[in-house]
């Protein structure tokens, strides 16, 4: 197939969405290859999977830099070394600077556990339950300077059932995330969905 898009995945923790992206990219027909993983936390569980899969992985921690700008500059340098076309945020719980978002505009995508624009930020499952929603879900969107904002690439609606608590709901939505994110990356990497 034509040139595969070169992708970096950013994680902060478990990395289950990262695993699904890596698995999808192992298919010869998939238009993206995962070139590297960046974590802001050395203890992120997902780094173990990256190691097992022999994917280049690096910790770029804000603790090692004087400020956000310098941290993000180090990230950008690494991305340029890897010749990255697309950045996938997969449970990356750190806000990127405005300069970074500008520099990579249209190339950063994120998965969020809610039907955006509803429930930006944290604790989305509990907040949806507290609000008495009957459905909830997940979204993949392009990243802009505003948190959990930017054009939507795709969403999956997931029902909320009687007796659900935040843990049960999180598990049901995570399953949907694992289908949505590989699909969304495929759309962006193949050029079927673009940022304007
Ligand atoms: C996922 O549910 C993802 O949607 C969420 O963090 C979890 C990471 O799980 N992301 C956000 O809340 C970003 N605002 P994972 O590390 O197993 O992929």
């Amino acid at each position: 197939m034509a040139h595969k898009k070169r992708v970096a995945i950013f994680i902060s923790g478990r990395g289950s969405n990262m695993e699904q992206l890596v698995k999808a990219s192992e298919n010869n027909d998939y238009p993206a290859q995962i070139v590297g993983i960046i974590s802001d936390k050395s203890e992120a569980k997902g780094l173990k999977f990256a190691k097992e899969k022999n994917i280049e992985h690096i910790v770029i921690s804000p603790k090692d830099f004087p400020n956000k700008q310098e941290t993000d500059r180090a990230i950008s340098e690494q991305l340029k070394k890897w010749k990255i076309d697309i950045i996938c945020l997969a449970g990356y719980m750190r806000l990127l600077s405005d300069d970074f978002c500008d520099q990579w505009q249209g190339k950063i995508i994120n998965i969020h556990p809610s039907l955006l624009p509803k429930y930006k930020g944290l604790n989305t499952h509990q907040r949806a339950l507290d609000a008495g929603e009957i459905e909830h879900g997940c979204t993949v969107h392009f990243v802009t300077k505003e948190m959990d904002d930017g054009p939507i690439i795709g969403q999956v609606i997931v029902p909320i059932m009687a007796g659900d608590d935040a843990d049960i709901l999180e598990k049901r939505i995570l399953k949907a995330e694992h289908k949505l994110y590989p699909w969304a990356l495929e759309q962006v990497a193949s050029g079927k969905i673009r940022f304007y």
Side-chain angles (χ1 to χ4, degrees), residues 166-184:
D167 287 346
I168 293 171
L169 193 52
E170 192 213 325
K171 287 197 181 88
R172 194 177 304 129
I173 286 173
L174 198 60
K175 272 193 194 162
E177 291 186 36
H178 291 168
K179 294 209 173 87
L180 174 63
Y181 214 173
W183 174 85

Side-chain angles (χ1 to χ4, degrees), residues 100-121:
F100 186 93
C101 292
D102 276 346
Q103 190 182 356
W104 295 93
Q105 175 147 301
K107 296 179 176 168
I108 317 172
I109 64 178
N110 178 46
I111 188 153
H112 183 75
S114 79
L115 294 171
L116 291 173
K118 281 186 168 181
Y119 307 114
K120 298 177 180 184

Side-chain angles (χ1 to χ4, degrees), residues 13-18 90-93 110-113 121-122 148 170 174 177-178:
R14 178 177 56 190
S16 70
N17 278 290
M18 170 201 69
Y92 186 68
M93 303 310 277
N110 178 46
I111 188 153
H112 183 75
L122 300 173
D148 298 330
E170 192 213 325
L174 198 60
E177 291 186 36
H178 291 168

Side-chain angles (χ1 to χ4, degrees), residues 7-42:
V7 173
I9 305 175
F10 289 15
I11 61 168
S12 296
R14 178 177 56 190
S16 70
N17 278 290
M18 170 201 69
E19 285 191 28
Q20 297 306 315
L21 294 175
V22 169
K23 283 179 187 157
S25 74
E26 287 169 349
N27 184 327
N28 283 341
D29 296 331
Y30 199 73
Q33 56 176 316
I34 310 306
V35 176
I37 312 287
I38 294 181
S39 173
D40 60 333
K41 296 206 166 64
S42 57

